[in-house]
């Protein structure tokens, strides 16, 4: 990301649901947006980096879209991290409607000259048995590919850690076995930092 490398001020807005808000984190400082801000300040010490947490638990993507104008665009961000895909799957949102809603959000942000990173849903015990949940995550990967937006594939990464590397859910998830743990929040932030470092 040019502004970070040039040492210019950068504003990032993290939009999403409870795993952006930080539910399951041991403190606000270990939530994903806060950890990301710390990592970026370390990686780009000459740039003033502000990561604004606009996570709100329980929302489906269309509710995130409703907040887009006043809670995101009004902040004039350089980058938006759009996290979605869990609540729509759990609440059985019509899949084509979900895809249209996500595409609208990403397209609107890109048209305003804002860089975007898309983040899909987490992997948790019930998701392991749900074909419906998997279809929503696959839809997000398809949207990211079609729009040219980088994707943070939480679902795939966490599934690999559980199924292939045998990492227990107790390591990846909070006590509720649904929301991310501090470990996973830190991994999310590290992945986004890597994406930003790789951006032209």
């Amino acid at each position: 990301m040019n502004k970070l490398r040039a040492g210019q001020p950068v504003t990032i807005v993290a939009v999403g649901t409870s795993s952006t808000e930080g539910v399951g984190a041991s403190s606000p400082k270990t939530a994903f947006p806060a950890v990301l801000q710390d990592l970026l300040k370390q990686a780009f010490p000459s740039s003033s980096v502000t990561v604004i947490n606009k996570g709100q638990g329980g929302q489906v993507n269309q509710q995130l879209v409703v907040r887009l104008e006043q809670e995101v665009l009004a902040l004039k961000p350089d980058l938006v991290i759009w996290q979605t895909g869990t609540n729509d799957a759990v609440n059985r949102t019509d899949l084509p409607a979900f895809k249209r809603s996500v595409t609208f959000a990403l397209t609107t942000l890109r048209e305003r000259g804002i860089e975007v990173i898309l983040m899909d849903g987490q992997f948790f015990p019930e998701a392991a048995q749900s074909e419906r949940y998997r279809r929503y995550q696959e839809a997000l990967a398809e949207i990211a590919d079609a729009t040219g937006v980088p994707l943070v594939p939480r679902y795939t990464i966490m599934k690999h850690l559980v199924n292939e590397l045998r990492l227990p859910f107790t390591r990846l998830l909070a006590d509720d076995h649904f929301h991310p743990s501090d470990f996973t929040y830190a991994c999310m932030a590290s992945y986004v930092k890597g994406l930003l470092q790789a951006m032209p």
Side-chain angles (χ1 to χ4, degrees):
M1 193 175 180
N2 285 333
K3 291 187 74 172
L4 282 172
R5 284 189 284 273
Q8 299 174 4
V10 171
T11 298
I12 299 170
V13 177
V15 184
T17 59
S18 55
S19 59
T20 292
E21 184 181 4
V23 175
S26 61
S27 77
K29 291 182 179 180
T30 59
F32 150 67
V35 176
L36 177 62
Q37 179 170 283
D38 289 342
L39 290 179
L40 292 178
K41 285 183 175 181
Q42 294 169 19
F44 302 95
S46 60
S47 180
S48 174
V49 181
T50 302
V51 181
I52 301 170
N53 188 339
K54 287 294 180 179
Q56 189 169 328
Q59 294 201 320
V60 296
N61 195 77
Q62 186 55 41
Q63 291 173 303
L64 303 182
V65 170
V66 169
R67 296 198 283 130
L68 180 58
E69 189 71 40
Q70 293 188 344
E71 294 191 33
V72 182
L73 295 176
L75 299 172
K76 302 185 183 304
D78 301 289
L79 168 73
V80 168
I81 302 165
W82 193 272
Q83 174 264 310
T84 191
T86 297
N87 292 330
D88 285 272
V90 171
N91 288 285
R92 299 176 181 268
T93 300
D94 177 70
L95 184 56
F98 170 70
K99 293 169 71 173
R100 290 193 297 271
S101 176
V102 175
T103 300
F104 172 81
L106 303 186
T107 301
T108 299
L109 290 164
R110 299 281 298 273
E111 287 176 348
R112 301 291 184 96
I114 300 167
E115 295 194 60
V116 188
I117 291 174
L118 182 62
M119 181 180 292
D120 68 9
Q122 69 264 31
F123 187 70
F124 56 97
E126 286 77 10
Q129 309 301 325
S130 174
E131 287 298 310
R132 184 186 72 253
Y133 190 87
R134 178 184 56 79
R135 287 196 295 272
Y136 283 79
Q137 312 320 313
E138 290 175 346
L140 289 172
E142 292 167 3
I143 292 168
D145 185 61
T147 58
V149 169
L151 175 71
V152 180
R154 288 195 299 169
Y155 176 82
T156 300
I157 293 171
M158 293 175 71
K159 183 178 180 180
H160 175 77
L161 290 174
V162 171
N163 290 346
E164 305 301 326
L165 300 186
R166 303 299 179 186
L167 206 64
F169 276 117
T170 52
R171 177 75 165 136
L172 298 177
L173 301 174
D175 290 341
D176 61 7
H177 282 198
F178 181 73
H179 293 98
S181 64
D182 286 354
F183 171 80
T184 299
Y185 280 131
C187 290
M188 291 161 56
S190 181
Y191 194 100
V192 171
K193 185 194 79 167
L195 285 179
L196 293 177
Q197 289 174 315
M199 277 184 176

